[in-house]
Amino acid sequence: MNDQNFLERTRQLALCMAELHTSLDPESYALLLRILQGLNEAIVHRDTGVDLPFSPREKELFTPEFGRVLKKLAGYLGPHGMRVVVGGGIGDGSGDGGAGACERDRREVDAIARASGMRP
């Protein structure tokens, strides 16, 4: 990673967060910040998992659009960006939701973790 790439991703993240601060309702923005804090923990503590339980209200707020925003933000994080699997059994608008897609995603994340030297 070069410094220019890092600075550009940081600038894009800041611009996106500023826009979301004004466009999202306060509850959704608070949820977004909580999730980003969890992603930060996952980056800092690479060999441990981060589990973010959601309240029933937070599950309602986690719409397909919210998931797309989260994936975009996660792309700005980490040394080479991050790939986030959004779903956990809820439909993500991709058309392949459900338990089968969730299980495939879990296996893919586990394989990526192993290839990266992390514990799944």
Side-chain angles (χ1 to χ4, degrees):
M1 168 181 67
N2 63 38
D3 286 343
Q4 185 61 36
N5 187 20
F6 173 78
L7 293 174
E8 179 58 24
R9 286 188 297 116
T10 301
R11 186 181 77 76
Q12 291 295 323
L13 177 65
L15 289 172
C16 193
M17 290 301 294
E19 180 183 320
L20 291 169
H21 184 68
T22 59
S23 65
L24 287 178
D25 63 272
E27 275 185 300
S28 295
Y29 190 74
L31 176 59
L32 183 65
L33 291 178
R34 189 168 80 80
I35 293 169
L36 289 175
Q37 182 179 6
L39 289 175
N40 184 60
E41 289 296 314
I43 292 168
V44 171
H45 306 288
R46 290 187 221 179
D47 62 342
T48 62
V50 175
D51 184 21
L52 296 175
F54 291 95
S55 71
R57 176 63 181 144
E58 289 172 329
K59 289 178 185 177
E60 289 175 18
L61 294 172
F62 206 107
T63 63
E65 177 60 27
F66 187 92
R68 285 188 289 276
V69 168
L70 180 59
K71 285 182 180 183
K72 179 180 177 181
L73 291 173
Y76 298 127
L77 301 174
H80 301 289
M82 288 183 69
R83 179 169 181 269
V84 173
V85 177
V86 177
I90 61 174
D92 65 0
S94 67
D96 68 349
C102 185
E103 179 60 23
R104 272 192 315 278
D105 290 345
R106 186 195 61 73
R107 285 192 311 265
E108 183 177 353
V109 169
D110 286 353
I112 292 168
R114 277 191 211 82
S116 302
M118 301 183 324
R119 289 180 295 154

